[in-house]
Amino acid sequence: MKRRDFIQKTALTSSAVTLGGSLAYGANTNLDIKHTFNLKYAPHFGMFKNLAGDDLIDQINFMADQGFTAFEDNGMMGRDVATQTKIGEALAKRNMTMGVFVIDKGGNMANTLAAGKQEYIDIFLDGCKRAVEVAKRVNAKWMTVVPGGFERKLPIGIQDGNVIEALKRGAEILEPHGLVMVLEPLSDSPDLYLQNSDQTYMICKGVDSPSCKILFDIYHMQKTEGHLIHNMELTWDEIDYIQIGDNPGRKEPTTGEINYKNVFKYIHSKGFKGVLGMEHGNSKPDKEGEMAVINAYKSEDNFL
């Protein structure tokens, strides 16, 4: 499942749902006991819609009732102001941490910052400015940035310099507000400029701002480089956000090859207090699949 699929699916729901409806999961007595997790796992809209119903606020309440203490929404910038405000209020009421949303710059491959073109930089900076207002409504701190594709006509060092300079401009917008853009290396296409954790580390060092850090997506990094704990250790001082998905398939932990119990144990041992976004699909459909997601996290979080 690619990021654009998450964004399209979540953004399209904002105009179709009503907020504040009755909870749809009250009859599920096996879900009545709130679990205490060791880490801040963050589900997204739609992950529990069969158990919680279509209403967005009901879904947030369901997540909180299961013990999840964070939430993320890639498509938040595509929602109307009223919806953003109600989501922010619901998260505050349930004491949930808002995770990432994606800074709107036109798509993962579009407006590549590696090209150094002013028109692309302007689109990115406009997205940063608008993201500040969205962050205020939902009490967000982190925003995902994908710099775009390679500019194949330019030497890689020039591309690196162009990306660093553009991100410095973005950091200047975000830093006064205490906001952080987290750069996400992806495995979706060989044409994407940002693909590895060490490369992302270098870019963050070049930008040299508390508002530019790494989003370490475990699913993507397992695909592109493996050695997850080793590479997280090497880049740890620049990692500010983590996302989850097993490989192959990009579904919940326990469905693929990644030993998530060990990975979560390592992250906890580092004293990580941030968010771990559950940016994956469900391996099974309907309520059964949603229960499988909850049970998988209970199982893999049991590392102490």
Side-chain angles (χ1 to χ4, degrees):
M1 187 176 296
K2 296 182 179 180
R3 177 178 304 284
R4 62 174 176 269
D5 298 325
F6 278 93
I7 295 174
Q8 289 170 353
K9 289 179 180 179
T10 54
L12 287 172
T13 61
S14 62
S15 61
V17 299
T18 57
L19 300 175
S22 60
L23 294 177
Y25 60 90
N28 294 282
T29 54
N30 57 329
L31 298 173
D32 289 343
I33 300 175
K34 185 175 181 178
H35 187 77
T36 300
F37 290 102
N38 293 302
L39 295 167
K40 289 185 177 181
Y41 307 111
H44 54 80
F45 287 133
M47 181 165 272
F48 303 122
K49 65 180 181 179
N50 290 288
L51 289 169
D54 290 331
D55 183 272
L56 299 186
I57 303 307
D58 284 355
Q59 290 185 39
I60 289 173
N61 285 325
F62 177 83
M63 296 169 193
D65 288 344
Q66 301 317 303
F68 294 106
T69 55
F71 162 82
E72 68 176 22
D73 182 28
N74 284 336
M76 185 67 78
M77 287 191 72
R79 301 187 186 279
D80 60 73
V81 171
T83 302
Q84 292 171 0
T85 301
K86 289 181 180 179
I87 290 171
E89 291 171 348
L91 294 174
K93 184 177 181 180
R94 298 308 303 263
N95 196 29
M96 295 178 74
T97 301
M98 178 66 206
V100 291
F101 62 85
V102 176
I103 289 183
D104 180 13
K105 58 176 280 292
N108 286 354
M109 291 297 298
N111 308 314
T112 174
L113 302 182
K117 294 182 179 180
Q118 190 60 48
E119 60 189 285
Y120 295 165
I121 296 171
D122 289 343
I123 291 170
F124 166 61
L125 297 180
D126 176 69
C128 290
K129 292 173 184 176
R130 291 186 287 112
V132 170
E133 298 307 311
V134 176
K136 290 177 182 178
R137 297 184 195 110
V138 297
N139 195 29
K141 177 180 179 181
W142 301 277
M143 287 139 287
T144 304
V145 169
V146 177
F150 283 107
E151 183 65 25
R152 301 290 187 183
K153 297 178 181 179
L154 296 176
I156 189 62
I158 302 301
Q159 295 183 64
D160 293 341
N162 288 341
V163 171
I164 289 170
E165 288 304 307
L167 294 175
K168 282 183 176 180
R169 299 277 303 280
E172 289 173 356
I173 294 170
L174 302 176
E175 195 169 331
H177 304 279
L179 304 178
V180 182
M181 56 180 168
V182 283
L183 310 182
E184 183 176 13
L186 299 174
S187 62
D188 295 329
S189 168
D191 291 323
L192 283 162
Y193 165 82
L194 202 61
Q195 299 187 34
N196 296 92
S197 60
D198 63 328
Q199 175 197 18
T200 314
Y201 183 86
M202 178 269 293
I203 295 295
C204 288
K205 290 299 185 185
V207 177
D208 192 23
S209 168
S211 289
C212 184
K213 295 295 180 180
I214 296 173
L215 191 172
F216 195 103
D217 187 308
I218 295 170
Y219 162 76
H220 285 295
M221 293 302 91
Q222 173 69 1
K223 288 180 65 180
T224 59
E225 60 189 30
H227 301 289
L228 292 168
I229 292 175
H230 172 72
N231 287 331
M232 292 181 83
E233 181 69 21
L234 287 176
T235 60
W236 186 259
D237 66 311
E238 294 292 339
I239 294 174
D240 217 46
Y241 200 94
I242 296 168
Q243 285 183 324
I244 301 162
D246 216 336
N247 182 63
R250 200 173 186 178
K251 307 301 182 184
E252 71 269 15
T254 72
T255 58
E257 65 191 0
I258 300 174
N259 187 337
Y260 264 105
K261 186 170 288 187
N262 274 358
V263 173
F264 290 158
K265 182 178 181 180
Y266 164 77
I267 293 169
H268 185 268
S269 74
K270 299 294 289 186
F272 186 70
K273 303 299 182 183
V275 172
L276 294 90
M278 297 160 59
E279 198 191 32
H280 57 74
N282 299 359
S283 63
K284 300 176 182 178
D286 306 322
K287 293 181 179 180
E288 178 187 2
E290 295 172 8
M291 281 299 306
V293 171
I294 295 170
N295 289 332
Y297 277 90
K298 288 179 179 179
S299 170
E300 299 307 278
D301 186 69
N302 185 24
F303 51 74
L304 294 179

